[in-house]
Amino acid sequence: MTHSTFDFENAAGRQLSGVLERGDGPVRAWAVFAHCFTCDKTSLAATRVSRALAGQGIGVLRFDFTGLGESEGEFGRGLSGDVQDVVCAAQAMAAAGLTPQLLVGHSFGGAAVLAAAGSLESVKAVAVIGAPFDAEHVLTHVGPALDDVAHGRRVPVEIGGRAFELGADFVEDLRSHNQAARIASLGRALLVLHSPVDEIVSIDNASGIFLAARHPKSFVSLDQANHLLTRQVDSDYAAAMIVAWAGRYIDSVANAVEPPLQGVRVEETGAGKFQVRVVTPSTTFLADEPASVGGLDSGPTPYELLSAGLGACTAMTCRLYAERKGWPLERVVVEVGHTARTASGPDRFLRKIAFQGDLDEAQHVRLLEIADRCPVHRTLTESATVETQRLPDDRPDAGVKTCVEDHLHRMEAVCADGDDG
């Protein structure tokens, strides 16, 4: 599982703080998650549901609404402000090549995504968890503090044990929204998830949403779950239901990856500026650049992969040699760093190795010598050539011919030579 910072501006030019969640495999589609009224992107529901979705192939942006969490601006602009924030989040994702097709909203965030969907052509499905039927529902948790408050004045209120300042403009905004009409004209697939024992937003709200909506619509009961989804099993279940349901309505942004029969295939994902998918006959993962240079920080950099190759080869070769000698080597740990070439010297890899086990000093010294003779070390320090050809019709084929046993044979040769050294 990987995550990266994704900040963007709201309609007023304020900076909103977001986090992009991705799983270890390819991203099939993108989504925006809107948190509950006084929560933020770090709430249990926001974090767990987003990560569970990401783990099943749906990348998610979870973000702080204006004035909450790490986002700039003033909280309490009503539903209109939250709707604008959701729209801005989706537009920022689309600009980064991560166009969302799914909106997920929890509690008041559900009201926001129901209202925002109509402004986002790319959105094909909306899922709401514990959402109120109308925006005014939130006023039941404010109490009489906002009754008869003068226009332009803000008063302190307490919601969920947290202090906020709200005013008449907040109340007026909530009352200006016709959620029933919006839901009826949603024009997207809708999934309503709600707990029958929700004590914050009653199950009657789910009934109202479901009855107002037109097909395609579905309902999932979150039995025994509380409103905030504080149990991991409930958030995981909600995410699993969303993934299974959404699969009927959203398009895959990454077609099924057919692995090459041999060699390695590297292809752009279309996400961000640098992100690529690395596909081998046995696995798939992402490579990228850090956010500080314009990447998404979603995977190792090319030089980190090169360092990983050196580290992996080092550990494997030392293991093979120790077993050949019958030495009590329990574990090998290799750390590798890379420094770019300078005017006075070539690229430099610094490799640090730990040999754990009941080894004497001579064995430690010998294993270090073997490390300096591992196949990848020799490839980097001796010689190699790169031949470049164009793929026929510019389409991936079965792969580039590779001898998969070559690395093992070379390690065995190093170990055999080490016996004589």
Side-chain angles (χ1 to χ4, degrees):
M1 191 75 65
T2 62
H3 62 271
S4 56
T5 299
F6 189 92
D7 296 342
F8 59 96
E9 290 187 351
N10 67 7
R14 298 285 190 173
Q15 189 88 345
L16 302 190
S17 175
V19 173
L20 278 175
E21 297 282 0
R22 299 175 183 78
D24 296 326
V27 176
R28 296 188 288 114
W30 291 98
V32 175
F33 186 99
H35 61 71
C36 65
F37 181 56
T38 58
C39 303
D40 58 35
K41 67 178 182 295
T42 65
S43 71
L44 288 177
T47 302
R48 289 174 174 173
V49 173
S50 295
R51 289 178 177 173
L53 288 172
Q56 297 185 61
I58 297 181
V60 181
L61 169 64
R62 52 183 172 92
F63 71 97
D64 294 328
F65 280 119
T66 296
L68 291 173
E70 298 177 302
S71 287
E72 298 176 349
E74 185 178 53
F75 171 72
R77 299 174 301 156
L79 181 60
S80 296
D82 287 357
V83 173
Q84 290 176 350
D85 287 352
V86 172
V87 171
C88 288
Q91 291 174 339
M93 291 182 72
L98 314 172
T99 304
Q101 299 182 63
L102 171 65
L103 299 181
V104 181
H106 176 222
S107 191
F108 197 67
V113 299
L114 286 169
S119 301
L120 298 169
E121 186 176 346
S122 68
V123 171
K124 299 182 178 181
V126 178
V128 294
I129 306 169
F133 175 54
D134 59 74
E136 290 182 70
H137 178 275
V138 73
L139 295 178
T140 62
H141 300 287
V142 176
L146 295 178
D147 292 350
D148 303 321
V149 63
H151 187 77
R153 182 168 172 259
R154 298 175 74 84
V155 297
V157 298
E158 185 173 301
I159 306 173
R162 298 176 63 186
F164 299 95
E165 285 194 351
L166 300 174
D169 57 336
F170 174 76
V171 178
E172 292 168 3
D173 180 83
L174 294 183
R175 291 174 175 164
S176 71
H177 292 274
N178 187 345
Q179 285 292 87
R182 278 188 174 132
I183 295 167
S185 61
L186 186 63
R188 276 86 171 163
L190 173 65
L191 175 63
V192 180
L193 304 99
H194 214 109
S195 169
V197 295
D198 191 327
E199 296 181 349
I200 305 298
V201 180
S202 72
I203 190 68
D204 293 340
N205 287 269
S207 299
I209 294 172
F210 190 82
L211 291 174
R214 297 178 180 178
H215 287 288
K217 58 182 179 179
S218 303
F219 174 78
V220 171
S221 178
L222 301 177
D223 298 333
Q224 301 179 4
N226 60 32
H227 181 69
L228 296 177
L229 300 184
T230 54
R231 297 193 312 167
Q232 176 105 34
V233 65
D234 295 324
S235 53
D236 287 348
Y237 176 71
M241 292 299 100
I242 294 171
V243 170
W245 163 82
R248 295 180 64 88
Y249 307 107
I250 59 179
D251 299 323
S252 176
V253 296
N255 295 327
V257 181
E258 288 293 334
L261 298 178
Q262 52 189 341
V264 175
R265 179 184 300 137
V266 179
E267 55 191 9
E268 291 185 309
T269 65
K273 186 177 180 179
F274 299 112
Q275 188 187 83
V276 295
R277 181 181 302 110
V278 182
V279 187
T280 76
S282 60
T283 192
T284 300
F285 61 92
L286 298 175
D288 204 348
E289 289 289 342
S292 60
V293 298
L296 297 175
D297 205 16
S298 60
T301 68
Y303 275 107
E304 286 174 339
L305 290 173
L306 199 56
S307 297
L310 175 60
C313 181
T314 299
M316 293 176 186
T317 305
C318 290
R319 166 59 57 195
L320 204 61
Y321 185 79
E323 289 185 351
R324 186 184 183 98
K325 289 291 192 179
W327 291 352
L329 176 63
E330 296 178 359
R331 186 166 178 252
V332 182
V333 179
V334 185
E335 296 179 351
V336 183
H338 168 259
T339 303
R341 72 179 64 187
T342 64
S344 60
D347 283 63
R348 177 173 178 263
F349 290 89
L350 175 60
R351 175 177 52 192
K352 297 180 179 180
I353 312 174
F355 301 114
Q356 299 174 359
D358 189 18
L359 302 171
D360 60 32
E361 184 60 25
Q363 291 168 331
H364 276 276
V365 171
R366 187 55 176 158
L367 286 171
L368 287 172
E369 293 173 350
I370 294 299
D372 283 338
R373 298 162 67 174
C374 81
V376 172
H377 180 112
R378 287 182 166 177
T379 298
L380 290 172
T381 58
E382 294 175 4
S383 63
T385 61
V386 178
E387 179 182 343
T388 302
Q389 301 176 0
R390 182 175 177 179
L391 277 167
D393 301 320
D394 291 317
R395 297 178 63 86
D397 57 17
V400 180
K401 184 176 181 181
T402 299
C403 179
V404 294
E405 295 88 5
D406 177 66
H407 184 244
L408 174 62
H409 295 333
R410 291 191 179 196
M411 288 193 297
E412 290 176 334
V414 168
C415 294
D417 291 344
D419 291 340
D420 302 328

